[in-house]
Amino acid sequence: MDYFTIEIGGQAIASFRSENADDAKNFFEAEDFREDLTVLQSQGKPVWDGIAPLALRKATAEEASEVEHAYEFDDDPERTIDDEFVVFLIPISDIADGEADEEDDAEQ
């Protein structure tokens, strides 16, 4: 598994692991994921405005560690290592929920 980070306007916003670069690119380019970025909010604003440039790159060691840490403490007994799992590196809230996560890391 390799680790990847998504940047918006040059800011790292989320990291995840993927089998390879092609799979990571497919996830990154998925319309559903990009739509989620316009629904999720950080500090009262959408994570992505649909205009700012999105970029995919290899994760740093620190970002990869955040993903590993999230897997360690995931409380979903049905989630496997192969499941899609995104760790946000910024505070996240969902406007549909109206609640912010207590920690900076959020999973999807």
Side-chain angles (χ1 to χ4, degrees), residues 10-81:
Q11 179 186 2
I13 58 121
S15 293
F16 63 99
R17 69 178 164 196
S18 189
E19 193 67 36
N20 55 52
D22 287 337
D23 287 348
K25 185 178 176 186
N26 288 335
F27 173 75
F28 169 72
E29 292 176 346
E31 188 175 322
D32 289 345
F33 177 68
R34 289 178 179 224
E35 184 178 314
D36 287 347
L37 293 177
T38 65
V39 173
L40 296 171
Q41 292 195 347
S42 181
Q43 300 175 344
K45 296 185 273 186
V47 172
W48 184 44
D49 62 7
I51 299 169
L54 292 172
L56 179 68
R57 63 168 170 77
K58 287 274 197 167
T60 65
E62 184 177 321
E63 292 162 348
S65 177
E66 288 291 327
V67 175
E68 284 299 315
H69 181 74
Y71 270 101
E72 281 180 37
F73 292 96
D74 180 31
D75 59 359
D76 184 348
E78 295 185 20
R79 189 181 323 272
T80 70
I81 198 165

